[in-house]
Amino acid sequence: MSRFFSRLSIKGKLFSIAITSSLFSMLLALVILVTVNVTEVKRKAQSDLIAVASLIANRSVAAVMFDDANLAKENLVSLNNLPDLRSACVYTKRGQLFTSLDKQSATCPIVSHGLRNYFDKLNLYVYQPMRLDDEIVGGIFLSSDLSAAFWRELQFIGVVLIVLFVALSITFLLTAPLLNRVAKPIAQLAKTAQKVSQEHDYSLRAAKHSNDEMGILVDAFNGMLDTVEIQNKALISVKNNFQALYDNNPTMVFNLDMQGQIISVNRFGARQLGLSVEELQGCSIFNFAHPEDIGNCNQFFQICRNHPEQVHKLESRIICRNGNIIWARETARLVKDENNRSHLLLVCEDITETRRLSEKIAYQASHDELTGLVNRRQFDIHIQNLVLEAQANDSHHVLCYLDLDQFKIVNDTCGHLAGDELLRQLGEVLRQQVRRMDILARLGGDEFGILMSYCSLEQAIITGEKLRNAVCDFQFAWENRSFNIGVSIGIAPINRACGNAVDVLKEADAACYAAKEKGRNRVHIFSPDDEELTLRQGEMQWVEKIRLGIERDRFQLFGQLIVPIAANRGGLHFETLIRYRDDQDKVIPPGAFLPAAERYNMASPLDRWVISRLFEHLATTPGFLDRLEMCSVNLSGLSLSDQAMLGFIDEQFRKWQIPTHKICFEITETAAISNLSYARQFIDSLRQKGCSFSLDDFGSGLSSFAYLKNLPVDYLKIDGLFVKDILDDRVDLTMVKAINEVAHVMGKKTIAEFVENQSIFDLLQTLGVNYAQGYGIAKPVPLREL
């Protein structure tokens, strides 16, 4: 019943409830009415029959007392008017039947013993004793048939039921529209909900018909739909965004089972492999692995299975459908789905370009970009490895250091492009002369190095001569011009007795330098007792000291007075000198380190240090600039050719606000002549700003006077080699006199060096020299003591 009821619609349920309740009410009313009426009929019939029995008993007392049966029967005959009476019996005091009135074949009991008032189905039995002065003298027993009475009541109940049914029918007909009004909104709400569920259209809304509880329910339902619609749109947007991010994520995202079968893949990953998503589903990821990487991939998968809580990474190659090979950085870990089944999430990032770039960078880091040869950094590593190998197994190797001769001519004549092309072609020439196992490197500029592993010194000498001849035979052509190049080669052995890699390189460099000093274009073998090499190594040791001295301010500025020879003394005039203080605070003169600075291109940084510290001292020492007339600063030949030096000097003038007319730059005759055109530009630029120039060591060159008219200097410093012996050597005296006269004719002032006593000073005064400098005048002292 409940299953049938649950299948009914709301309207059917309401109608069923109404009908059922009505029928139940009628049934209940029927039961109550029947029960009440039957009870009432029985009560009334018993009451009436008892009253009749009492009346007959009172009348029949005398008849029984006098034993008058006829009189007693006459009393009973009066009961014939009772339609329902079946029998009437009179009993004596002893309980014997005295007389009776029989109707409808009903008989009286013989005796009255046990008679009482009771109902038997539709029959009523009443026994009434006859009393006389409280003494029972007999009894009356009546029986009545209640069928007619009950039938009359049933007819009445039937009429009542008909009336009730009509009333209920009318009531049901009147309430049906009301029930329909209650059921219809619910049905419409259910229909709307079903449509939303089936079509997933959350824009639908239920119609509101009232403001009662049903209206509240509709409002709540529509409000819920509003919320669901907003959330659904948000979820769809998030889903679409996620799907777009997933499919267009520039990585290949695979969901794999534990055997490597592809469960799903994003579209970008499918495009990378050249297949569709559908074609990839069910394929094994190992189908796309490079054959050389399959072992690593299997091991990678096993590690992921053994350590599911960790994220694992691997770089491997993937073969696409078109045969292209890409490098991928694979990141993987185990995940579980909603059914607690393990899957492998694999994300592959294409690192092909990164890998190629890394390989290119690694190649560039170890090779020279211009020639493609091994570079200095990688060459040092190879030297170190061979040194360790020689010390480990007592093997013999050789290092060759090559420095091109006349390379600068090509560079200066035809430009750097020609120089670069020459280096490229020479690199190929050298490559063809060495063994495949040998390592050829460009060490920088026009310098090359060759490591000959497992090679004797004699074999290396033969190879060196072979290399030298190959370079000499090579002719470089550029723009209808042809050049011949030479090479100086230094050879140093690598064996158990040699030092570390730095020492070996220094030895080969020193041997190469010795080859250049002996006339260039030759091969020189390093020997520990070679005096030239010893000097060269000593200079090389100063290179690091000079660098550290600049970084840690281990240099110190000194000054040596320059005094006018004429009687009228001017302001403070001195030459700035430099000294080095070692770890024991010992002052080391410039002759120990300046040659190394010149030879190893450290002179220009050293000049910068001197200028910056000198200008700082001039600007920060109170009153120093006021009493300063002129301060001379030496510039090396490298500084004259350093195009950035002019900018640096201008910056220092602006920074420290030094008057330019109080600074005189000293340049050597040799440095000026080596690059005359640029030296002239350099001098003109600073002289226009107010600076002065002095030509140092004048007279030591072979063509001093010829170049003098092309150098716009203000002072000539006569070389001290002529000045110190003018008292005894007439040639030196004549040289000093000639230099002084030519300088004065050209409008330049002269300064004599190495003035060591008063006699030389007096003679210089006689000759008309303008200034004197030397130990006879003043020794160099720290600037703070001037």
Side-chain angles (χ1 to χ4, degrees):
M1 182 68 181
S2 59
R3 183 178 300 176
F4 170 77
F5 186 77
S6 64
R7 294 177 181 176
L8 296 175
S9 63
I10 294 293
K11 183 177 181 181
K13 287 185 174 84
L14 290 176
F15 277 99
S16 298
I17 291 172
I19 293 173
T20 303
S21 60
S22 299
L23 292 177
F24 180 77
S25 300
M26 289 183 63
L27 180 61
L28 182 62
L30 176 62
V31 171
I32 294 173
L33 187 60
V34 169
T35 302
V36 171
N37 285 356
V38 168
T39 302
E40 182 64 21
V41 168
K42 291 172 66 176
R43 184 194 64 77
K44 186 175 183 302
Q46 184 178 15
S47 175
D48 291 345
L49 196 59
I50 291 173
V52 171
S54 298
L55 179 61
I56 296 301
N58 290 332
R59 288 181 180 180
S60 301
V61 170
V64 172
M65 288 292 295
F66 294 103
D67 196 21
D68 187 353
N70 293 326
L71 179 60
K73 193 167 186 175
E74 288 179 1
N75 289 335
L76 294 179
V77 171
S78 63
L79 297 178
N80 286 327
N81 297 325
L82 297 176
D84 297 329
L85 185 68
R86 293 182 61 196
S87 64
C89 306
V90 179
Y91 293 91
T92 62
K93 181 177 181 180
R94 294 178 180 172
Q96 295 177 346
L97 181 62
F98 180 66
T99 186
S100 64
L101 178 63
D102 296 328
K103 297 180 65 176
Q104 300 176 354
S105 302
T107 58
C108 292
I110 302 300
V111 291
S112 65
H113 299 299
L115 296 177
R116 68 185 188 284
N117 298 337
Y118 68 96
F119 287 93
D120 181 15
K121 297 180 181 180
L122 296 180
N123 298 316
L124 173 62
Y125 299 93
V126 174
Y127 177 76
Q128 182 66 34
M130 287 185 286
R131 299 178 182 276
L132 181 63
D133 296 331
D134 296 330
E135 181 181 356
I136 296 175
V137 294
I140 299 297
F141 179 71
L142 301 177
S143 65
S144 177
D145 183 3
L146 301 181
S147 298
F150 281 130
W151 176 247
R152 287 192 300 271
E153 289 299 324
L154 287 177
Q155 289 177 333
F156 172 75
I157 291 172
V159 173
V160 172
L161 286 177
I162 291 173
V163 173
L164 286 176
F165 179 79
V166 172
L168 287 175
S169 299
I170 294 172
T171 302
F172 180 77
L173 292 175
L174 293 176
T175 56
L178 297 178
L179 293 176
N180 191 49
R181 291 191 63 181
V182 173
K184 185 177 180 180
I186 298 176
Q188 291 179 346
L189 179 61
K191 185 177 181 181
T192 302
Q194 185 179 24
K195 192 173 182 181
V196 169
S197 176
Q198 291 175 347
E199 299 179 3
H200 301 287
D201 183 3
Y202 299 102
S203 63
L204 298 174
R205 295 294 181 270
K208 183 178 179 180
H209 299 280
S210 63
N211 293 322
D212 55 5
E213 290 84 350
M214 191 62 205
I216 296 174
L217 179 61
V218 171
D219 289 338
F221 177 77
N222 290 335
M224 181 183 66
L225 284 180
D226 291 338
T227 303
V228 171
E229 183 180 18
I230 293 172
Q231 292 179 349
N232 185 60
K233 289 180 179 179
L235 287 174
I236 292 174
S237 176
V238 170
K239 176 187 175 183
N240 292 337
N241 290 338
F242 173 79
Q243 191 67 38
L245 289 173
Y246 175 73
D247 283 332
N248 299 312
N249 189 339
T251 57
M252 295 175 277
V253 183
F254 297 92
N255 183 21
L256 310 173
D257 64 15
M258 299 307 293
Q259 286 71 43
Q261 299 294 321
I262 299 175
I263 300 174
S264 64
V265 59
N266 65 338
R267 298 193 181 278
F268 179 86
R271 287 197 300 269
Q272 285 290 93
L273 295 178
L275 296 167
S276 66
V277 173
E278 293 74 16
E279 289 174 325
L280 283 172
Q281 289 175 347
C283 294
S284 174
I285 193 66
F286 296 105
N287 293 344
F288 305 96
H290 193 278
E292 297 177 4
D293 295 336
I294 288 181
N296 292 336
C297 292
N298 282 322
Q299 186 178 5
F300 179 65
F301 269 62
Q302 189 60 41
I303 293 174
C304 292
R305 296 187 194 100
N306 296 339
H307 303 280
E309 71 284 352
Q310 297 178 2
V311 176
H312 306 277
K313 295 185 178 182
L314 174 70
E315 290 188 4
S316 67
R317 286 162 290 183
I318 297 177
I319 302 178
C320 302
R321 184 181 185 180
N322 58 7
N324 289 340
I325 298 176
I326 61 175
W327 275 95
R329 181 182 292 112
E330 301 178 0
T331 304
R333 69 164 298 173
L334 284 185
V335 295
K336 291 185 180 296
D337 59 14
E338 63 276 6
N339 298 321
N340 204 33
R341 289 178 299 194
S342 295
H343 296 271
L344 190 67
L345 179 62
L346 180 66
V347 179
C348 300
E349 180 185 2
D350 187 350
I351 59 169
T352 305
E353 291 301 322
T354 304
R355 187 88 178 193
R356 291 174 182 168
L357 182 60
S358 298
E359 292 174 354
K360 183 178 180 181
I361 291 173
Y363 179 84
Q364 291 176 345
S366 60
H367 289 75
D368 175 56
E369 184 177 0
L370 179 64
T371 63
L373 302 177
V374 173
N375 62 13
R376 174 63 179 269
R377 176 177 172 272
Q378 191 66 24
F379 192 68
D380 289 341
I381 296 174
H382 287 303
I383 296 174
Q384 185 176 1
N385 293 337
L386 274 186
V387 169
L388 294 176
E389 188 173 346
Q391 293 174 351
N393 57 19
D394 197 20
S395 55
H396 293 269
H397 319 280
V398 175
L399 169 62
C400 292
Y401 198 99
L402 294 78
D403 192 344
L404 299 180
D405 301 327
Q406 289 87 40
F407 174 76
K408 192 173 186 300
I409 295 175
V410 178
N411 237 7
D412 294 343
T413 304
C414 301
H416 291 292
L417 290 178
D420 290 346
E421 181 60 27
L422 172 59
L423 291 174
R424 276 192 290 267
Q425 293 185 18
L426 277 176
E428 188 59 33
V429 169
L430 295 174
R431 194 199 309 269
Q432 294 174 1
Q433 304 302 320
V434 298
R435 300 174 302 175
R436 181 173 296 181
M437 61 187 298
D438 295 337
I439 298 173
L440 173 63
R442 183 189 175 206
L443 304 182
D446 58 349
E447 298 171 346
F448 295 85
I450 303 174
L451 267 179
M452 302 178 184
S453 56
Y454 296 96
C455 178
S456 66
L457 199 57
E458 292 76 13
Q459 290 174 322
I461 295 173
I462 296 173
T463 303
E465 289 294 339
K466 182 180 175 183
L467 290 167
R468 186 185 65 79
N469 292 329
V471 173
C472 289
D473 294 340
F474 172 74
Q475 281 195 336
F476 176 67
W478 185 269
E479 295 179 351
N480 300 322
R481 302 184 66 177
S482 180
F483 299 90
N484 288 326
I485 305 297
V487 62
S488 298
I489 303 176
I491 295 178
I494 301 175
N495 49 45
R496 178 175 287 180
C498 70
N500 56 30
V502 176
D503 294 335
V504 173
L505 191 59
K506 286 181 179 179
E507 292 170 358
D509 185 24
C512 181
Y513 172 74
K516 281 186 173 294
E517 290 292 314
K518 289 183 178 181
R520 301 176 182 271
N521 196 30
R522 64 186 63 236
V523 179
H524 190 90
I525 313 301
F526 174 80
S527 176
D529 54 359
D530 193 326
E531 292 183 1
E532 292 183 11
L533 295 182
T534 302
L535 176 61
R536 174 71 164 166
Q537 286 183 312
E539 290 181 351
M540 292 175 64
Q541 292 175 358
W542 266 107
V543 174
E544 183 66 14
K545 291 183 179 180
I546 293 172
R547 187 183 66 80
L548 291 176
I550 293 174
E551 291 180 358
R552 303 175 183 178
D553 279 339
R554 286 188 174 179
F555 291 101
Q556 184 177 1
L557 295 181
F558 277 60
Q560 187 177 25
L561 291 177
I562 300 174
V563 299
I565 295 179
N568 53 335
R569 300 278 178 169
L572 179 63
H573 187 178
F574 68 93
E575 178 185 0
T576 306
L577 304 174
I578 189 171
R579 302 289 186 268
Y580 182 84
R581 287 191 176 274
D582 60 13
D583 296 336
Q584 288 74 36
D585 205 32
K586 179 183 177 181
V587 177
I588 299 175
F593 56 84
L594 283 183
E598 292 280 356
R599 192 181 308 279
Y600 291 99
N601 299 325
M602 296 295 294
S604 184
L606 197 57
D607 288 346
R608 291 170 181 260
W609 185 92
V610 171
I611 292 171
S612 63
R613 295 302 185 273
L614 173 64
F615 283 18
E616 180 181 4
H617 178 81
L618 296 179
T620 58
T621 303
F624 199 94
L625 278 175
D626 295 334
R627 58 191 181 92
L628 177 66
E629 179 182 351
M630 185 68 67
C631 172
S632 296
V633 186
N634 290 282
L635 287 179
S636 66
L638 292 174
S639 294
L640 283 179
S641 60
D642 184 359
Q643 297 182 3
M645 181 59 75
L646 279 174
F648 174 78
I649 293 174
D650 288 340
E651 180 187 352
Q652 294 300 309
F653 272 122
R654 289 193 301 269
K655 178 179 180 181
W656 300 107
Q657 296 297 307
I658 304 298
T660 56
H661 67 275
K662 293 191 176 187
I663 301 298
C664 177
F665 292 102
E666 289 191 12
I667 60 175
T668 63
E669 177 188 355
T670 305
I673 293 174
S674 64
N675 198 345
L676 188 61
S677 61
Y678 190 77
R680 183 180 178 87
Q681 295 176 10
F682 189 94
I683 294 171
D684 287 339
S685 177
L686 287 177
R687 289 185 81 244
Q688 289 175 5
K689 293 180 171 58
C691 298
S692 301
F693 272 84
S694 174
L695 194 60
D696 198 10
D697 297 334
F698 188 80
S700 60
L702 299 176
S703 307
S704 300
F705 290 104
Y707 285 105
L708 182 58
K709 61 182 179 181
N710 294 315
L711 293 173
V713 297
D714 303 282
Y715 299 91
L716 290 184
K717 296 191 77 171
I718 304 172
D719 195 331
L721 294 176
F722 302 131
V723 175
K724 66 185 181 71
D725 294 326
I726 61 174
L727 295 176
D728 304 315
D729 192 326
R730 293 179 60 83
V731 175
D732 288 344
L733 176 61
T734 303
M735 287 292 296
V736 171
K737 182 178 179 180
I739 293 172
N740 184 64
E741 290 176 355
V742 172
H744 287 168
V745 170
M746 298 181 69
K748 307 179 191 302
K749 296 179 181 180
T750 55
I751 302 172
E753 297 180 308
F754 288 13
V755 180
E756 298 180 351
N757 53 55
Q758 186 64 37
S759 299
I760 296 176
F761 184 85
D762 293 339
L763 182 54
L764 291 172
Q765 187 176 19
T766 302
L767 294 175
V769 176
N770 302 104
Y771 296 92
Q773 179 183 359
Y775 277 29
I777 306 299
K779 293 183 178 181
V781 295
L783 288 186
R784 63 177 180 273
E785 298 180 14
L786 285 175

